[in-house]
Amino acid sequence: MKRLGGLWPQITSFENLYIAYQKARRGKKRAYEIARFALNLESELLALQAQLLAGTYQPGAYRLFSIYERKPRQIAAAPFRDRVVHHALLNIIEPAIDRQFIHDSYACRKGKGVHAAVNRYQNWAKRYTYVLKMDVSRYFPSIDHELLKCKLRKKIKDRRVQRLLDLVVDCSPEYDEHPVWFCGDDLMTPFERRLGIPIGNLTSQFFANLYLDEMDHYIKESLNIKAYMRYVDDLFILHDDKGYLKSLQTSIADKLMQERLLLHPRKANIMPTRYGVDVLGYRVFPDYRQIRNDNGHRFGRKLRQFAKAYAQGKIKIADCNASVQSWIGHAQHGDTLGLRKKMFNQTVFIRHT
């Protein structure tokens, strides 16, 4: 791919910054920080543009918090002003680079997503006997800053864009990772290299796709694997030869080490596709699929909490409708009609007087 140039005027144009602002505020209009920015929108965008053009722009501090979805995750929320910059960057650089990704990379890409990935896997499961399912250990906290910057430079030649991307990468929160030594390291190497990009950033989703793009092409083109797909750090390869999949696991582990990453030791398994495999929140068989049990239990608890809060007058139906509709949309992609009927028949919303 020819490296991209001439991007800076497009990124810093007022029109692009305004579009970035609209994208950054989508679905979050009530937040105080966003309302304050919108109150003086033109002057805020002009000031941001001036700082970018002068090279004086500096990102603010992240707000860190934890969520629990099967396991605890630390989320880093950038200030709204910085999220506008992230959108402005990706508005321009992502479309051209995204076209170079393999077809079967599904995370956070237009026309892709979880349900497209599950459909693709299930079509392959009808044809292949075994699946090798792998997971990169602590992917986001383990991404190496220098390697990431090198990958960005292979795609982008505009130095001002490179500097802004470097700034976004360098301002990532510090991660307290256990040191890992790779081939060629000396004693101090793991302590000298910055690691980690924040879960929650728009740019991080793009970086996560880019960071393993070379490995994706290696698997598809050098190893000539037809049935391979990736969703962030979840990797799936399907084949009829179990021994061949075992050898591929070794090859991929070696390739990941070149990226200073490790396979999760307990999440690299070869399984018969006919027994059903956990794929991105669904248990997928060749001819049908179910949602994972923990997903149904978790939503059931949330639904009962909504009903209780509604009964006490703490919330309105509209306050929980988006969450309920989102889960229904997810569940409908599995064979869940009986589960959905049972769950909603058992939970009644009645306002106590």
Side-chain angles (χ1 to χ4, degrees):
M1 170 185 168
K2 184 178 179 181
R3 291 202 304 161
L4 302 173
L7 305 175
W8 189 244
Q10 299 175 63
I11 290 171
T12 56
S13 72
F14 186 87
E15 180 185 8
N16 185 49
L17 290 172
Y18 179 69
I19 292 170
Y21 154 76
Q22 291 179 309
K23 289 183 176 180
R25 75 193 289 259
R26 196 170 292 160
K28 306 179 180 69
K29 297 176 184 177
R30 296 181 182 179
Y32 171 74
E33 180 186 23
I34 299 172
R36 187 175 60 182
F37 191 98
L39 189 62
N40 301 293
L41 179 59
E42 185 176 0
S43 59
E44 288 280 4
L45 291 179
L46 287 171
L48 188 55
Q49 182 186 45
Q51 290 179 6
L52 289 168
L53 291 172
T56 58
Y57 165 74
Q58 285 293 324
Y62 282 90
R63 179 173 60 88
L64 303 178
F65 59 96
S66 294
I67 62 172
Y68 188 89
E69 291 183 353
R70 303 184 72 199
K71 60 182 179 180
R73 295 179 186 273
Q74 185 185 68
I75 305 298
F80 179 72
R81 194 166 181 269
D82 296 338
R83 299 202 296 275
V84 173
V85 173
H86 299 167
H87 277 280
L89 265 169
L90 294 192
N91 284 349
I92 306 304
I93 70 171
E94 185 174 27
I97 295 176
D98 183 88
R99 287 194 290 270
Q100 303 301 314
F101 294 158
I102 66 168
H103 174 81
D104 289 308
S105 174
Y106 284 92
C108 305
R109 297 178 65 197
K110 189 175 181 179
K112 305 290 184 178
V114 167
H115 300 131
V118 173
N119 290 340
R120 183 69 154 168
Y121 171 85
Q122 190 168 43
N123 286 334
W124 282 335
K126 298 177 191 294
R127 297 163 49 193
Y128 295 100
T129 309
Y130 297 101
V131 57
L132 167 60
K133 180 185 174 184
M134 297 168 284
D135 182 285
V136 180
S137 181
R138 293 187 59 76
Y139 183 41
F140 280 81
S142 300
I143 287 177
D144 185 278
H145 285 198
E146 287 308 312
L147 291 181
L148 175 58
K149 291 176 187 177
C150 286
K151 294 175 188 298
L152 289 164
R153 278 164 172 69
K154 288 180 182 179
K155 304 291 185 183
I156 297 168
K157 65 180 179 181
D158 190 316
R159 291 188 178 180
R160 287 171 295 184
V161 180
Q162 289 176 359
R163 285 196 291 270
L164 181 56
L165 287 165
D166 285 354
L167 189 60
V168 172
V169 174
D170 290 338
C171 287
S172 300
E174 295 279 354
Y175 285 89
D176 186 19
E177 290 294 292
H178 295 295
V180 178
W181 284 265
F182 294 90
C183 183
D185 287 357
D186 61 28
L187 182 64
M188 296 304 296
T189 299
F191 303 99
E192 295 168 347
R193 303 184 73 99
R194 282 286 315 276
L195 303 178
I197 56 175
I199 298 173
N201 259 16
L202 179 72
T203 49
S204 295
Q205 298 168 1
F206 171 70
F207 293 158
N209 283 339
L210 175 66
Y211 196 81
L212 286 180
D213 179 56
E214 291 178 24
M215 189 198 71
D216 292 338
H217 284 281
Y218 166 75
I219 293 172
K220 293 288 286 188
E221 295 155 15
S222 298
L223 298 180
N224 197 31
I225 304 301
K226 300 290 190 272
Y228 163 71
M229 59 178 259
R230 175 166 70 92
Y231 192 97
V232 191
D233 58 344
D234 290 322
L235 289 67
F236 301 84
I237 298 177
L238 293 88
H239 201 272
D240 289 326
D241 188 332
K242 189 175 182 179
Y244 180 59
L245 288 176
K246 187 65 179 176
S247 68
L248 286 179
Q249 181 179 332
T250 302
S251 298
I252 291 168
D254 291 342
K255 187 69 175 176
L256 282 172
M257 286 184 187
Q258 296 175 24
E259 308 291 359
R260 303 187 68 84
L261 296 171
L262 298 172
L263 281 180
H264 195 294
R266 297 189 304 277
K267 296 182 180 179
N269 301 293
I270 299 171
M271 298 160 279
T273 54
R274 69 180 184 275
Y275 291 161
V277 175
D278 186 355
V279 182
L280 306 176
Y282 299 89
R283 188 163 182 81
V284 183
F285 298 80
D287 298 315
Y288 67 99
R289 68 185 74 159
Q290 305 165 330
I291 62 168
R292 261 197 332 245
N293 286 337
D294 64 324
N295 182 291
H297 292 317
R298 189 165 58 246
F299 178 74
R301 287 194 298 271
K302 180 184 286 188
L303 191 63
R304 290 190 294 274
Q305 290 168 0
F306 282 149
K308 182 178 180 180
Y310 177 77
Q312 295 172 346
K314 295 179 179 179
I315 64 171
K316 299 176 182 178
I317 290 293
D319 296 327
C320 59
N321 186 56
S323 179
V324 171
Q325 294 302 324
S326 175
W327 183 84
I328 291 173
H330 174 75
Q332 282 177 332
H333 286 268
D335 297 294
T336 60
L337 181 59
L339 172 66
R340 284 179 277 137
K341 285 183 175 179
K342 179 180 178 181
M343 192 170 291
F344 288 104
N345 286 339
Q346 289 179 343
T347 309
V348 181
F349 282 70
I350 299 176
R351 179 82 78 184
H352 293 334
T353 55

